[in-house]
Amino acid sequence: MARHETTSAVCGTLLGVLMVVALGACGGGSGGSSGGAGTTGASVATGASAGGAAGAASGASAASSASGANASAASDGAATSSPGASAPASGAAAAVLELSTAVQNQTVAKDAAASGLLSSVGVAGLYMAAARPFLTAALAGAPAATANCTRGGTVATVVSNAGAPGLRAGETASVSFAQCVGQIAAPELSSADALGGSVSFAVQGVQGSVGSRAANWSYTVTETANALAIDSSNATTTFNGTVTLTVAYDAATATITTTANAPSLTIARMQTSSSGTTLDGSMAISSLAWVDTDNVASATESLSASCAVSDVVEGVTLAFGVTTPVALTIAGGAITAGTQQLTSADTTEAVVAQNASTFVLTVKSQGQTGVWTQSASSLAS
């Protein structure tokens, strides 16, 4: 399974890109322009099963850097002339990396696309996967359970007001991960990553018998990540924030539809690059919403989501909105079709899945166009 790197998605390039002032990469000011929110997606099997994903997705390596527009353009794909440069503002509190830079800088285009995927559906995948121990315990009527994770560590679940087996309104729970490896599958996790921290749940309402395959059911739950942390070999990524999810099963079509929203989420990341440099970054995600339709019989999904993203790393900001004008098709844990779109005040970047292994990034800004081809693995590394 590919590990989807996280927050500093853009900032791996910043160390290199910020030196290329002629690109207009760094404008003055204390924030970037954040485009309108829409819908996006990543290679994540969400829904009640919260299955993992292996395809293309989220976050790019903070170790990557660009040595300049021409070097980036020559590496993969083609691009046209760059937007004009803008001088840093006097006394600016923070630099701004504009999405328009991606017209001539492939690494910025790649990292922006990866950030958009992580911040929407990548988050969705992690939250849904972390819910599985809670659902298992609640449906079994177990007030408390501790399990050894398949490759090390433990996961402990404590359910309040559990009563008889099943899921009911008013139940609450806490799920705590202690260096848990291999127990849950999600885009952010590789088979060697350890999960720590906790998530808490509060069941708002239940219709029908949750888990039945013979009749319709639905439930609504709020889930809060409390320093839910992923430790990989070179990075720690920490999630915080509350999501409200409604999960509904249609017995006639054997489909599970998950509808979710979150007004505000944060992701923090500390990563060590291949050169030994430590990068600290954060990602603020607002107005996150997603809809995932999981066909249980065919094991395929249709997914769309929306959010606004602001990346801040080492005092540099990149902000944009994310949409999926064409819903993503997910099969076998990978995106096989669909389009993600990133937008800022003057720039649009389309990320089109050609198949499970190839994406085409098309950036348009101020009359300029850049086209790049990226592999699924490059977006996940």
Side-chain angles (χ1 to χ4, degrees), residues 25-297:
C26 301
S30 59
S33 58
S34 113
T39 42
T40 185
S43 56
V44 49
T46 55
S49 63
S58 29
S61 168
S64 60
S65 65
S67 60
N70 294 336
S72 181
S75 64
D76 193 3
T80 58
S81 59
S82 67
S86 57
S90 174
V96 176
L97 180 65
E98 300 292 350
L99 185 62
S100 58
T101 307
V103 169
Q104 285 214 347
N105 193 296
Q106 180 185 13
T107 312
V108 175
K110 179 191 75 171
D111 289 355
S115 293
L117 287 164
L118 168 71
S119 62
S120 53
V121 189
V123 168
L126 183 63
Y127 272 68
M128 291 303 298
R132 290 195 299 172
F134 155 67
L135 289 173
T136 299
L139 293 176
T146 299
N148 292 322
C149 299
T150 57
R151 298 189 61 185
T154 60
V155 55
T157 307
V158 178
V159 181
S160 303
N161 304 320
L167 194 65
R168 286 171 305 284
E171 286 184 322
T172 60
S174 176
V175 178
S176 300
F177 300 91
Q179 293 301 298
C180 177
V181 181
Q183 189 71 12
I184 67 173
E188 292 74 27
L189 293 170
S190 77
S191 58
D193 290 345
L195 195 62
S198 66
V199 287
S200 57
F201 298 89
V203 181
Q204 306 300 316
V206 178
Q207 297 285 331
S209 179
V210 176
S212 169
R213 291 296 179 91
N216 296 348
W217 51 260
S218 66
Y219 66 89
T220 298
V221 62
T222 57
E223 177 182 356
T224 301
N226 306 297
L228 184 62
I230 299 169
D231 288 325
S232 63
S233 60
N234 68 335
T236 298
T237 306
T238 306
F239 298 78
N240 284 283
T242 299
V243 174
T244 299
L245 307 100
T246 297
V247 183
Y249 176 70
D250 185 333
T253 59
T255 57
I256 297 171
T257 301
T258 299
T259 305
N261 64 82
S264 178
L265 296 170
T266 61
I267 304 173
R269 182 172 178 83
M270 178 178 290
Q271 178 168 341
T272 303
S273 71
S274 57
S275 64
T277 301
T278 298
L279 296 176
D280 291 317
S282 64
M283 181 183 290
I285 306 161
S286 59
S287 303
L288 172 62
W290 75 84
V291 177
D292 175 271
T293 302
D294 183 358
N295 188 302
V296 177

